[in-house]
PDB file of all heavy atoms in Angstrom:
ATOM      1  N   SER P 130     -14.457  10.082   4.593  1.00 64.00           N
ATOM      2  CA  SER P 130     -15.184   9.742   3.358  1.00 64.00           C
ATOM      3  C   SER P 130     -16.143   8.687   3.687  1.00 64.00           C
ATOM      4  O   SER P 130     -15.879   7.702   4.438  1.00 64.00           O
ATOM      5  CB  SER P 130     -14.229   9.319   2.289  1.00 64.00           C
ATOM      6  OG  SER P 130     -13.374  10.304   1.904  1.00 64.00           O
ATOM      7  N   GLY P 131     -17.427   8.817   3.060  1.00 81.00           N
ATOM      8  CA  GLY P 131     -18.480   7.816   3.383  1.00 81.00           C
ATOM      9  C   GLY P 131     -18.124   6.437   2.781  1.00 81.00           C
ATOM     10  O   GLY P 131     -17.341   6.330   1.817  1.00 81.00           O
ATOM     11  N   GLN P 132     -18.676   5.448   3.360  1.00 88.00           N
ATOM     12  CA  GLN P 132     -18.452   4.072   2.973  1.00 88.00           C
ATOM     13  C   GLN P 132     -19.863   3.433   2.687  1.00 88.00           C
ATOM     14  O   GLN P 132     -20.750   3.610   3.617  1.00 88.00           O
ATOM     15  CB  GLN P 132     -17.703   3.290   3.962  1.00 88.00           C
ATOM     16  CG  GLN P 132     -16.336   3.718   4.175  1.00 88.00           C
ATOM     17  CD  GLN P 132     -15.550   2.894   5.166  1.00 88.00           C
ATOM     18  OE1 GLN P 132     -15.723   1.721   5.284  1.00 88.00           O
ATOM     19  NE2 GLN P 132     -14.692   3.592   5.973  1.00 88.00           N
ATOM     20  N   GLU P 133     -19.920   2.674   1.746  1.00 93.00           N
ATOM     21  CA  GLU P 133     -21.100   1.821   1.503  1.00 93.00           C
ATOM     22  C   GLU P 133     -20.715   0.380   1.349  1.00 93.00           C
ATOM     23  O   GLU P 133     -19.991   0.023   0.272  1.00 93.00           O
ATOM     24  CB  GLU P 133     -21.932   2.276   0.266  1.00 93.00           C
ATOM     25  CG  GLU P 133     -23.139   1.391  -0.093  1.00 93.00           C
ATOM     26  CD  GLU P 133     -23.678   1.796  -1.419  1.00 93.00           C
ATOM     27  OE1 GLU P 133     -23.267   2.728  -2.095  1.00 93.00           O
ATOM     28  OE2 GLU P 133     -24.749   1.042  -1.766  1.00 93.00           O
ATOM     29  N   VAL P 134     -20.964  -0.532   2.240  1.00 95.00           N
ATOM     30  CA  VAL P 134     -20.549  -1.874   2.218  1.00 95.00           C
ATOM     31  C   VAL P 134     -21.453  -2.577   1.113  1.00 95.00           C
ATOM     32  O   VAL P 134     -22.687  -2.515   1.328  1.00 95.00           O
ATOM     33  CB  VAL P 134     -20.639  -2.564   3.540  1.00 95.00           C
ATOM     34  CG1 VAL P 134     -20.278  -4.060   3.411  1.00 95.00           C
ATOM     35  CG2 VAL P 134     -19.695  -1.908   4.468  1.00 95.00           C
ATOM     36  N   LEU P 135     -20.813  -3.261   0.179  1.00 97.00           N
ATOM     37  CA  LEU P 135     -21.538  -3.999  -0.845  1.00 97.00           C
ATOM     38  C   LEU P 135     -21.600  -5.535  -0.535  1.00 97.00           C
ATOM     39  O   LEU P 135     -22.578  -6.156  -0.874  1.00 97.00           O
ATOM     40  CB  LEU P 135     -21.005  -3.703  -2.150  1.00 97.00           C
ATOM     41  CG  LEU P 135     -20.978  -2.250  -2.642  1.00 97.00           C
ATOM     42  CD1 LEU P 135     -20.213  -2.156  -3.984  1.00 97.00           C
ATOM     43  CD2 LEU P 135     -22.341  -1.652  -2.781  1.00 97.00           C
ATOM     44  N   VAL P 136     -20.454  -6.040  -0.040  1.00 96.00           N
ATOM     45  CA  VAL P 136     -20.366  -7.416   0.328  1.00 96.00           C
ATOM     46  C   VAL P 136     -19.711  -7.528   1.748  1.00 96.00           C
ATOM     47  O   VAL P 136     -18.579  -7.070   1.943  1.00 96.00           O
ATOM     48  CB  VAL P 136     -19.483  -8.235  -0.654  1.00 96.00           C
ATOM     49  CG1 VAL P 136     -19.410  -9.682  -0.294  1.00 96.00           C
ATOM     50  CG2 VAL P 136     -19.957  -8.109  -2.061  1.00 96.00           C
ATOM     51  N   ARG P 137     -20.552  -8.057   2.750  1.00 96.00           N
ATOM     52  CA  ARG P 137     -20.009  -8.200   4.041  1.00 96.00           C
ATOM     53  C   ARG P 137     -19.202  -9.438   4.218  1.00 96.00           C
ATOM     54  O   ARG P 137     -18.386  -9.539   5.265  1.00 96.00           O
ATOM     55  CB  ARG P 137     -21.160  -8.251   4.979  1.00 96.00           C
ATOM     56  CG  ARG P 137     -21.924  -6.851   4.990  1.00 96.00           C
ATOM     57  CD  ARG P 137     -23.000  -6.878   6.144  1.00 96.00           C
ATOM     58  NE  ARG P 137     -23.784  -5.623   6.110  1.00 96.00           N
ATOM     59  CZ  ARG P 137     -23.380  -4.369   6.483  1.00 96.00           C
ATOM     60  NH1 ARG P 137     -22.110  -4.310   7.045  1.00 96.00           N
ATOM     61  NH2 ARG P 137     -24.053  -3.395   6.380  1.00 96.00           N
ATOM     62  N   ASP P 138     -19.442 -10.454   3.457  1.00 96.00           N
ATOM     63  CA  ASP P 138     -18.598 -11.614   3.494  1.00 96.00           C
ATOM     64  C   ASP P 138     -17.354 -11.368   2.679  1.00 96.00           C
ATOM     65  O   ASP P 138     -16.905 -10.267   2.458  1.00 96.00           O
ATOM     66  CB  ASP P 138     -19.444 -12.823   2.981  1.00 96.00           C
ATOM     67  CG  ASP P 138     -18.863 -14.161   3.314  1.00 96.00           C
ATOM     68  OD1 ASP P 138     -17.899 -14.269   4.114  1.00 96.00           O
ATOM     69  OD2 ASP P 138     -19.430 -15.192   2.884  1.00 96.00           O
ATOM     70  N   TYR P 139     -16.760 -12.468   2.103  1.00 97.00           N
ATOM     71  CA  TYR P 139     -15.523 -12.293   1.253  1.00 97.00           C
ATOM     72  C   TYR P 139     -15.813 -12.641  -0.100  1.00 97.00           C
ATOM     73  O   TYR P 139     -16.617 -13.569  -0.352  1.00 97.00           O
ATOM     74  CB  TYR P 139     -14.396 -13.178   1.846  1.00 97.00           C
ATOM     75  CG  TYR P 139     -14.000 -12.836   3.170  1.00 97.00           C
ATOM     76  CD1 TYR P 139     -14.138 -13.701   4.286  1.00 97.00           C
ATOM     77  CD2 TYR P 139     -13.579 -11.542   3.517  1.00 97.00           C
ATOM     78  CE1 TYR P 139     -13.654 -13.360   5.587  1.00 97.00           C
ATOM     79  CE2 TYR P 139     -13.250 -11.148   4.823  1.00 97.00           C
ATOM     80  CZ  TYR P 139     -13.284 -12.039   5.798  1.00 97.00           C
ATOM     81  OH  TYR P 139     -13.022 -11.652   7.104  1.00 97.00           O
ATOM     82  N   PRO P 140     -15.314 -11.886  -1.035  1.00 97.00           N
ATOM     83  CA  PRO P 140     -14.381 -10.760  -0.870  1.00 97.00           C
ATOM     84  C   PRO P 140     -15.170  -9.533  -0.330  1.00 97.00           C
ATOM     85  O   PRO P 140     -16.058  -9.033  -0.899  1.00 97.00           O
ATOM     86  CB  PRO P 140     -13.839 -10.549  -2.313  1.00 97.00           C
ATOM     87  CG  PRO P 140     -14.876 -10.948  -3.144  1.00 97.00           C
ATOM     88  CD  PRO P 140     -15.537 -12.170  -2.483  1.00 97.00           C
ATOM     89  N   PHE P 141     -14.678  -9.015   0.821  1.00 97.00           N
ATOM     90  CA  PHE P 141     -15.238  -7.833   1.347  1.00 97.00           C
ATOM     91  C   PHE P 141     -15.174  -6.713   0.429  1.00 97.00           C
ATOM     92  O   PHE P 141     -13.938  -6.474  -0.083  1.00 97.00           O
ATOM     93  CB  PHE P 141     -14.506  -7.489   2.712  1.00 97.00           C
ATOM     94  CG  PHE P 141     -15.134  -6.365   3.411  1.00 97.00           C
ATOM     95  CD1 PHE P 141     -16.371  -6.444   4.026  1.00 97.00           C
ATOM     96  CD2 PHE P 141     -14.471  -5.143   3.425  1.00 97.00           C
ATOM     97  CE1 PHE P 141     -16.902  -5.347   4.696  1.00 97.00           C
ATOM     98  CE2 PHE P 141     -15.052  -3.998   4.133  1.00 97.00           C
ATOM     99  CZ  PHE P 141     -16.283  -4.156   4.678  1.00 97.00           C
ATOM    100  N   THR P 142     -16.262  -6.101   0.046  1.00 97.00           N
ATOM    101  CA  THR P 142     -16.252  -5.113  -0.971  1.00 97.00           C
ATOM    102  C   THR P 142     -17.086  -3.911  -0.521  1.00 97.00           C
ATOM    103  O   THR P 142     -18.111  -4.063   0.024  1.00 97.00           O
ATOM    104  CB  THR P 142     -16.953  -5.650  -2.269  1.00 97.00           C
ATOM    105  OG1 THR P 142     -16.230  -6.870  -2.640  1.00 97.00           O
ATOM    106  CG2 THR P 142     -16.894  -4.655  -3.452  1.00 97.00           C
ATOM    107  N   TYR P 143     -16.494  -2.674  -0.798  1.00 96.00           N
ATOM    108  CA  TYR P 143     -17.257  -1.486  -0.408  1.00 96.00           C
ATOM    109  C   TYR P 143     -16.800  -0.309  -1.298  1.00 96.00           C
ATOM    110  O   TYR P 143     -15.851  -0.337  -1.972  1.00 96.00           O
ATOM    111  CB  TYR P 143     -16.941  -1.120   1.126  1.00 96.00           C
ATOM    112  CG  TYR P 143     -15.576  -0.714   1.440  1.00 96.00           C
ATOM    113  CD1 TYR P 143     -15.162   0.641   1.488  1.00 96.00           C
ATOM    114  CD2 TYR P 143     -14.593  -1.668   1.786  1.00 96.00           C
ATOM    115  CE1 TYR P 143     -13.886   1.035   1.800  1.00 96.00           C
ATOM    116  CE2 TYR P 143     -13.329  -1.331   2.101  1.00 96.00           C
ATOM    117  CZ  TYR P 143     -12.939   0.061   2.203  1.00 96.00           C
ATOM    118  OH  TYR P 143     -11.655   0.392   2.532  1.00 96.00           O
ATOM    119  N   VAL P 144     -17.751   0.657  -1.325  1.00 95.00           N
ATOM    120  CA  VAL P 144     -17.583   1.880  -2.083  1.00 95.00           C
ATOM    121  C   VAL P 144     -17.194   2.883  -1.091  1.00 95.00           C
ATOM    122  O   VAL P 144     -17.712   3.068  -0.048  1.00 95.00           O
ATOM    123  CB  VAL P 144     -18.793   2.340  -2.867  1.00 95.00           C
ATOM    124  CG1 VAL P 144     -18.639   3.618  -3.490  1.00 95.00           C
ATOM    125  CG2 VAL P 144     -19.302   1.301  -3.789  1.00 95.00           C
ATOM    126  N   ARG P 145     -16.068   3.572  -1.436  1.00 92.00           N
ATOM    127  CA  ARG P 145     -15.473   4.654  -0.557  1.00 92.00           C
ATOM    128  C   ARG P 145     -15.586   5.985  -1.203  1.00 92.00           C
ATOM    129  O   ARG P 145     -15.206   6.146  -2.391  1.00 92.00           O
ATOM    130  CB  ARG P 145     -13.943   4.259  -0.317  1.00 92.00           C
ATOM    131  CG  ARG P 145     -13.226   5.250   0.514  1.00 92.00           C
ATOM    132  CD  ARG P 145     -13.417   5.055   1.907  1.00 92.00           C
ATOM    133  NE  ARG P 145     -12.647   6.043   2.630  1.00 92.00           N
ATOM    134  CZ  ARG P 145     -12.552   6.021   3.944  1.00 92.00           C
ATOM    135  NH1 ARG P 145     -13.157   5.111   4.698  1.00 92.00           N
ATOM    136  NH2 ARG P 145     -11.885   6.980   4.512  1.00 92.00           N
ATOM    137  N   GLY P 146     -16.242   6.891  -0.528  1.00 89.00           N
ATOM    138  CA  GLY P 146     -16.442   8.242  -0.965  1.00 89.00           C
ATOM    139  C   GLY P 146     -17.227   8.410  -2.210  1.00 89.00           C
ATOM    140  O   GLY P 146     -17.162   9.377  -2.927  1.00 89.00           O
ATOM    141  N   GLY P 147     -17.997   7.365  -2.638  1.00 91.00           N
ATOM    142  CA  GLY P 147     -18.811   7.418  -3.689  1.00 91.00           C
ATOM    143  C   GLY P 147     -18.115   7.274  -5.081  1.00 91.00           C
ATOM    144  O   GLY P 147     -18.619   7.223  -6.166  1.00 91.00           O
ATOM    145  N   SER P 148     -16.722   7.143  -5.000  1.00 92.00           N
ATOM    146  CA  SER P 148     -15.981   7.197  -6.266  1.00 92.00           C
ATOM    147  C   SER P 148     -15.053   6.033  -6.485  1.00 92.00           C
ATOM    148  O   SER P 148     -14.478   5.866  -7.504  1.00 92.00           O
ATOM    149  CB  SER P 148     -15.195   8.448  -6.261  1.00 92.00           C
ATOM    150  OG  SER P 148     -14.260   8.538  -5.192  1.00 92.00           O
TER     151      SER P 148
END
Side-chain angles (χ1 to χ4, degrees):
S130 294
Q132 297 179 36
E133 176 189 359
V134 175
L135 301 176
V136 178
R137 293 188 185 283
D138 198 5
Y139 298 121
F141 183 71
T142 305
Y143 65 96
V144 175
R145 176 81 179 187
S148 60

